[in-house]
Amino acid sequence: MAVERSFRNIPDGKLDQADQQSYLVSLGWSKAPGWDELLRSKRVLIISEAGAGKTYECCAQRQRLWDAGEPAFVLELATLAASDVRTMLDHDEEERLDAWLASQSDVATFFLDSIDELKLSLGSFEQALKRLSKAIAGQLGRARIVITTRPVPFDERLVRRLLSVPPQAESEANGETFAQIVMQGRANRQQVEGEFAPAAWRVVALMPLSDEQIADFANRHGVDDPHALLDDLRRRNAQEFARRPQDLLELCADWRDFKRIRTHREQVASNIRIKLKPRDDRAEPAALSVDKAIDGASRLALAMMTTRRLTIRHSAQADVGCQTAFKRDPRSASKRDPLFR
């Protein structure tokens, strides 16, 4: 069982701080909602920094829902922009999608991951949303949609227009609904229909790992004495370097080998060598030593720093493309669009 993550609503005007660990830590973890609470909403936007675990969490929740017999799907937006939904599904997923469309009552969950990767591929956010809307035409009211992204500019209004939440029809007054009201009681009915009902749209940040979660995570990843690791982090005032799962995963691997927290330079050097090793799940096109790979990676890093680019493309034409697909309306540049309020 994985570490249970929690979320925080992002207040108006704080969208640009959704990836700032210090801001999120200042909010604290007390009473922060988890996935069960989050999935009560019909539309959820998760905004967090790279390495926070957004993709892993979506895949894990999809599997949890799937194992419970619910229709749940993870769709990469970069792929969806160039393909249709059914092409992205395997046989079992397509069967469950068809069963959901025919049911007229169940709720299906679609995890759309992730806007920032779509932007890097120069894909169309609007096209991706249209493909999903077309695949579930007429069933948006029974769809729960979770979208992930880093804090990058994109047109939030497209989501409201193309993946809107239809108004909920009032329940017909009959014997069954009357019995439900009687059994649940007036308080429960008010909770469902009134102020305690979940918000249809939510914007949240995936919280960094707490100290307890760091120890739990380390224990799950082979650290014999996770509290010794946590104590060492505290002595060095370095918990912030272990609050992202991706960073902590690398730190655990380093700790298993050396039983201490090495300097940041040493850890980065080891991590680079590990990532540049040949893959073992398929044959590489050509043999390449680690030293030669490091030399090439160093040259690319220098080129990116001097040109101030975050993306390397293999042709000049790739730099020309959808420069407006993710731009916000100039009027909303200074404040967040009211999409998920």
Side-chain angles (χ1 to χ4, degrees):
M1 185 176 179
V3 174
E4 294 187 11
R5 304 294 298 277
S6 56
F7 302 85
R8 281 293 186 190
N9 291 331
I10 305 175
D12 293 342
K14 298 291 186 179
L15 189 65
D16 59 341
Q17 298 185 47
D19 65 335
Q20 295 181 17
Q21 189 180 112
S22 58
Y23 168 71
L24 296 176
V25 170
S26 71
L27 298 178
W29 290 268
S30 176
K31 297 182 180 180
W35 273 107
D36 288 341
E37 172 65 22
L38 201 64
L39 293 180
R40 294 179 64 207
S41 297
K42 289 293 185 69
R43 303 291 184 267
V44 179
L45 176 64
I46 302 176
I47 304 178
S48 294
E49 62 179 334
K54 300 183 295 295
T55 299
Y56 175 86
E57 286 295 313
C58 286
C59 290
Q61 290 304 310
R62 178 267 178 197
Q63 191 61 49
R64 181 178 69 88
L65 295 172
W66 186 269
D67 292 343
E70 297 185 29
F73 314 91
V74 174
L75 304 174
E76 293 183 2
L77 282 168
T79 304
L80 185 58
S83 179
D84 62 88
V85 170
R86 291 185 176 274
T87 301
M88 299 174 66
L89 303 180
D90 62 28
H91 177 70
D92 291 340
E93 289 175 323
E94 193 167 9
E95 281 192 343
R96 194 167 291 191
L97 176 64
D98 288 334
W100 169 71
L101 290 171
S103 72
Q104 297 299 313
S105 60
D106 296 338
V107 174
T109 305
F110 297 87
F111 297 94
L112 306 185
D113 186 54
S114 70
I115 294 175
D116 48 288
E117 294 294 336
L118 171 66
K119 186 175 181 180
L120 288 176
S121 68
L122 299 181
S124 168
F125 184 44
E126 182 174 8
Q127 183 64 34
L129 298 186
K130 284 182 176 179
R131 289 181 184 275
L132 176 61
S133 181
K134 181 179 180 181
I136 59 175
Q139 306 301 329
L140 283 172
R142 297 194 297 119
R144 180 191 297 120
I145 301 173
V146 180
I147 306 175
T148 72
T149 184
R150 300 179 196 176
V152 296
F154 69 97
D155 193 347
E156 295 177 358
R157 294 168 302 171
L158 284 174
V159 185
R160 178 173 289 281
R161 177 167 62 87
L162 298 174
L163 301 178
S164 60
V165 179
Q168 186 173 4
E170 292 188 10
S171 301
E172 181 182 354
N174 54 35
E176 182 178 355
T177 56
F178 177 77
Q180 289 177 348
I181 293 173
V182 172
M183 293 177 65
Q184 294 176 353
R186 180 181 297 272
N188 285 349
R189 183 186 179 191
Q190 290 176 341
Q191 181 171 344
V192 172
E193 298 178 356
E195 59 180 324
F196 297 107
W201 303 80
R202 295 185 71 169
V203 177
V204 300
L206 181 57
M207 286 293 289
L209 297 173
S210 65
D211 286 3
E212 292 75 14
Q213 289 174 324
I214 289 174
D216 188 13
F217 186 99
N219 182 57
R220 295 170 188 270
H221 288 83
V223 174
D224 296 333
D225 188 354
H227 293 289
L229 169 61
L230 185 58
D231 289 342
D232 203 357
L233 287 168
R234 287 169 175 162
R235 281 195 299 271
R236 299 170 183 269
N237 196 26
Q239 293 103 309
E240 65 178 291
F241 299 108
R243 297 204 187 279
R244 298 192 312 171
Q246 184 60 49
D247 293 338
L248 183 54
L249 191 64
E250 297 167 0
L251 186 61
C252 288
D254 200 62
W255 180 275
R256 290 196 302 268
D257 291 337
F258 298 96
K259 304 299 181 184
R260 63 182 179 89
I261 296 178
R262 299 189 297 159
T263 65
H264 183 62
R265 178 186 178 90
E266 291 172 329
Q267 292 182 46
V268 170
S270 294
N271 185 250
I272 290 174
R273 294 188 72 87
I274 291 172
K275 289 182 175 178
L276 290 178
K277 286 182 178 179
R279 296 181 55 164
D280 54 11
D281 58 341
R282 61 174 171 80
E284 296 288 354
L288 183 67
S289 69
V290 174
D291 289 338
K292 192 170 183 179
I294 290 177
D295 180 64
S298 300
R299 293 172 183 269
L300 290 174
L302 177 60
M304 295 178 72
M305 289 185 64
T306 55
T307 59
R308 297 186 178 182
R309 291 178 178 270
L310 298 178
T311 307
I312 298 176
R313 306 191 189 279
H314 59 76
S315 67
Q317 184 62 30
D319 286 329
V320 180
C322 331
Q323 299 300 321
T324 61
F326 295 83
K327 288 184 178 178
R328 289 175 176 267
D329 188 298
R331 294 170 296 180
S332 64
S334 60
K335 61 182 181 179
R336 195 178 86 204
D337 294 335
L339 172 59
F340 292 94
R341 291 179 183 172

